[in-house]
Amino acid sequence: MPAINWTPTLPLLLSLNAGFVDTAGFLALQGLFTAHVTGNFVTLGASLVLGTSGAVAKLLALPVFCLVVILTRLLSSALLRRERPALKIILGLKVAVLVAGAVLAIRLGPFPNGDAWQAVVTGMVLVAAMAIQNGAHRIHLGSAPPSTLMTGTTTQIMIDLADMMQAPRQDTTTAPGPRLLGMSANIAVFASGCAAAALLYAHVGVWCFVVPPVLGAAALFLRVGGATK
C-alpha cells in the first residue's frame, strides 16, 4: 500500500468526533453506542433485564458495523488500485453519512422509543459513519492511536508509565515518553468530545448532531497533510 501522509491533528479530530458521536448517540438513542459497538452487548443485556427500549438497534449495530468496515476496505483497495486519493474520498463519504444522520436525528427525533423505526434507522446511519471512520483509521492511519476504542490506549499508557518508573532496559527499542504523550492527548480529546456532546444534548437536544459533520469536514479539509492517496 502506498504511504499516506497525514497531519498530527487529523487523528485528534477523529477522536473528538468519535467521542461526540458516541455520547450523543448514547443519550439520544436509548443507550446505543455508535462508535464502541461491542459495548452494545452490555446495554442489550441491561435493556432486556430492565425492560427498556433499544434492543433492536443494539442487535443490529454489530453486523451493520462489520458490513460497513468490509465495504470501506473494498472501496479503499479499489481507489488505491486506481491511484485515487482513498483517504480523502473515504473521509468525505463519512461526512456525507454524518450529514444524513444529523438530518434524520433532527427530522425524526427525539427518540423516546429506541425500538421505533425512526430511532433504528438513525442509529444505524450513525453506526455506519463510525464504521467508515474506524475502517479508514485502521487502513490508512495505523500508526496513530485508535480514535474510538480507548481501553487499549489507556492500557498502553499505564504500561508506559510503569516502564518509566523502572530503570532503562537495554532491549527497549521505543521510548515510552513520546508515545505516552500522544496517546494521552488522544484520550483527552476523546473525553472532550464526550463532554461537549453531553452538554450540547442537555441544552439543544438532537440539534447537537449538527456538530459531527462539521468536525468531519474539518478533518477532511486538512487535506490529509497534502497527500494524494
Side-chain angles (χ1 to χ4, degrees), residues 66-120:
C66 293
L67 175 61
V68 175
V69 170
I70 291 173
L71 294 175
T72 300
R73 175 61 164 178
L74 294 174
L75 174 61
S76 174
S77 298
L79 290 170
L80 289 173
R81 284 196 301 270
R82 291 166 174 78
E83 298 185 349
R84 301 297 300 277
L87 182 54
K88 292 181 186 178
I89 292 173
I90 291 172
L91 290 178
L93 176 62
K94 186 197 77 170
V95 172
V97 177
L98 284 174
V99 169
V103 171
L104 288 170
I106 293 168
R107 292 290 300 271
L108 302 178
F111 305 100
N113 181 4
D115 290 320
W117 71 265
Q118 296 92 335
V120 173

Side-chain angles (χ1 to χ4, degrees), residues 88-198:
K88 292 181 186 178
I89 292 173
I90 291 172
L91 290 178
L93 176 62
K94 186 197 77 170
V95 172
V97 177
L98 284 174
V99 169
V103 171
L104 288 170
I106 293 168
R107 292 290 300 271
L108 302 178
F111 305 100
N113 181 4
D115 290 320
W117 71 265
Q118 296 92 335
V120 173
V121 170
T122 303
M124 293 309 101
V125 170
L126 294 172
V127 167
M130 290 296 95
I132 294 171
Q133 174 172 313
N134 272 272
H137 193 121
R138 183 72 174 177
I139 296 166
H140 299 290
L141 306 173
S143 61
S147 60
T148 55
L149 288 174
M150 295 296 116
T151 305
T153 303
T154 303
T155 301
Q156 187 61 58
I157 289 174
M158 297 305 109
I159 292 173
D160 286 347
L161 285 173
D163 288 344
M164 292 174 70
M165 295 175 187
Q166 304 179 78
R169 292 163 44 188
Q170 295 297 324
D171 60 345
T172 299
T173 57
T174 303
R179 180 174 58 201
L180 187 150
L181 290 175
M183 289 187 169
S184 297
N186 192 55
I187 289 180
V189 169
F190 182 89
S192 297
C194 295

Side-chain angles (χ1 to χ4, degrees), residues 14-44 54 56-69 94 97-98 100-102 104-105 111 114 118-135 147-149 190 193-194 197 201 208-209 212-213:
L14 295 178
S15 293
L16 181 67
N17 210 355
F20 193 103
V21 173
D22 217 21
T23 301
F26 186 87
L27 293 172
L29 298 166
Q30 304 298 318
L32 175 68
F33 286 112
T34 54
H36 184 199
V37 290
T38 53
N40 290 312
F41 293 136
V42 176
T43 55
L44 172 62
V56 174
K58 295 178 179 70
L59 281 171
L60 290 175
L62 185 59
V64 168
F65 185 91
C66 293
L67 175 61
V68 175
V69 170
K94 186 197 77 170
V97 177
L98 284 174
L104 288 170
F111 305 100
Q118 296 92 335
V120 173
V121 170
T122 303
M124 293 309 101
V125 170
L126 294 172
V127 167
M130 290 296 95
I132 294 171
Q133 174 172 313
N134 272 272
S147 60
T148 55
L149 288 174
F190 182 89
C194 295
Y201 183 79
C208 71
F209 285 100

